Amino acid sequence: MFIAANWKMNLDKKSISEYAKFLQKFKFSDKVETCIFPPTIYIDYLHSLINDLPISIGGQNCHYKTSGAFTGEISPNFLRDTGCKYVIIGHSERRIINNENNAEIKLRAEAALNSSLKVILCVGETLIDRQEGKALQFIEKQINDCLPDNYENLLIAYEPIWSIGTGKIPSVFEIEEMHTHIKKIINKFVNKKINVIYGGSVNIKNINEILDITNVDGVLVGGASLKAKDFLAIYSAAVKYLNIS
Ligand code: PEP
């Protein structure tokens, strides 16, 4: 079970320091893996505050080259060097705002894997695709186009674009259908279990229902991860879920 916090472009040094105080008081379980994705500039700072805790730190993106004339970009080697274990690749905000296409996302994922990072590859359909009944087809193409050659350290995050930050989530049936679909597509390439986590408006009210869905191996949390109390409540729900099931 994997619970991830994507802070996006939020939380400054002072808020991170307050957040870390909450984390320091919390009792973590060895059954649930967790990773925080802070703004890149604060990776070292967060690390210095929580490096004694069983929490991984990850980058929100990385470039497909390890060095060179790429002003403003982040090398996967730099993430690794600052102690990151994971990186998110292909988040819909990067795809939409920064025009990252499937081919580029595949390159970024491969570069990250070559730099010994674990990759969370995000896929997700638009509302129109969902309404027109094309969601399964859309995700299949995204996976076929973005899937890196090495599957060892790969997780997929199913994040319907229309669900991110909107408070709307797919039905239990739709999430289960999509996660099962994603696993089947990947099994065509490799006979190995790949974890698929769900992201999109996960919060303390819907977490129990989401975790109970077949083929959901964890969650990627955006907005609700910005308050330590809420994120830890989501984490605790995962621990409780594992202890009961
Ligand atoms: C995200 O952006 O990865 C995300 C899941 O955001 P939110 O939880 O705010 O919908």
Side-chain angles (χ1 to χ4, degrees):
M1 178 73 70
F2 187 74
I3 307 289
N6 177 14
W7 288 355
K8 312 191 187 195
M9 199 173 73
N10 294 296
L11 302 186
D12 57 13
K13 215 167 185 180
K14 191 164 176 284
S15 348
I16 292 174
S17 151
E18 293 301 316
Y19 201 113
K21 283 183 200 155
F22 256 91
L23 297 177
Q24 284 293 352
K25 284 188 227 142
F26 190 78
K27 256 194 123 13
F28 288 89
S29 152
D30 52 8
K31 289 189 186 158
V32 175
E33 191 178 354
T34 186
C35 182
I36 297 177
F37 297 84
T40 314
I41 191 97
Y42 295 129
I43 287 173
D44 263 342
Y45 181 58
L46 179 63
H47 211 232
S48 72
L49 299 174
I50 62 166
N51 64 5
D52 55 328
L53 299 180
I55 302 176
S56 302
I57 297 181
Q60 295 178 9
N61 195 17
C62 71
H63 200 252
Y64 51 82
K65 293 277 188 189
T66 49
S67 64
F70 301 102
T71 304
E73 290 287 349
I74 306 293
S75 159
N77 282 356
F78 299 165
L79 291 180
R80 190 67 232 173
D81 201 26
T82 50
C84 286
K85 188 168 173 192
Y86 286 89
V87 62
I88 297 172
I89 301 285
H91 191 280
S92 60
E93 284 149 18
R94 299 292 314 181
R95 291 175 185 268
I96 297 165
I97 305 167
N98 301 81
N99 297 319
E100 288 180 16
N101 61 29
N102 286 345
E104 189 178 335
I105 286 161
K106 179 175 175 160
L107 289 177
R108 286 179 188 250
E110 281 175 345
L113 291 165
N114 288 336
S115 296
S116 304
L117 292 164
K118 291 179 186 256
V119 168
I120 300 184
L121 178 64
C122 298
V123 294
E125 80 284 358
T126 61
L127 186 57
I128 296 179
D129 283 305
R130 170 60 66 186
Q131 285 168 341
E132 290 180 350
K134 295 182 189 152
L136 296 176
Q137 201 183 318
F138 183 90
I139 298 297
E140 183 154 7
K141 175 159 173 41
Q142 247 183 359
I143 292 180
N144 285 337
D145 290 354
C146 299
L147 204 64
D149 293 334
N150 170 0
Y151 314 95
E152 238 8 87
N153 288 314
L154 187 71
L155 268 94
I156 305 287
Y158 169 54
E159 297 209 305
I161 298 171
W162 52 274
S163 177
I164 295 182
T166 59
K168 293 182 194 144
I169 63 165
S171 67
V172 167
F173 173 80
E174 286 167 334
I175 296 178
E176 180 173 342
E177 181 185 45
M178 187 59 85
H179 281 230
T180 306
H181 180 59
I182 291 172
K183 289 188 180 193
K184 273 194 195 141
I185 299 167
I186 293 184
N187 279 152
K188 281 189 207 155
F189 296 94
V190 61
N191 188 17
K192 179 182 177 294
K193 184 181 179 285
I194 298 270
N195 285 332
V196 181
I197 60 176
Y198 170 78
S201 295
V202 173
N203 58 38
I204 42 182
K205 290 195 186 127
N206 58 28
I207 183 66
N208 290 322
E209 189 181 28
I210 293 171
L211 291 177
D212 210 23
I213 301 174
T214 305
N215 281 331
V216 169
D217 303 307
V219 287
L220 177 52
V221 189
S225 73
L226 296 177
K227 288 195 180 125
K229 199 167 143 269
D230 291 353
F231 184 62
L232 291 174
I234 289 172
Y235 175 92
S236 301
V239 175
K240 199 166 160 203
Y241 174 79
L242 285 183
N243 285 337
I244 295 169
S245 60

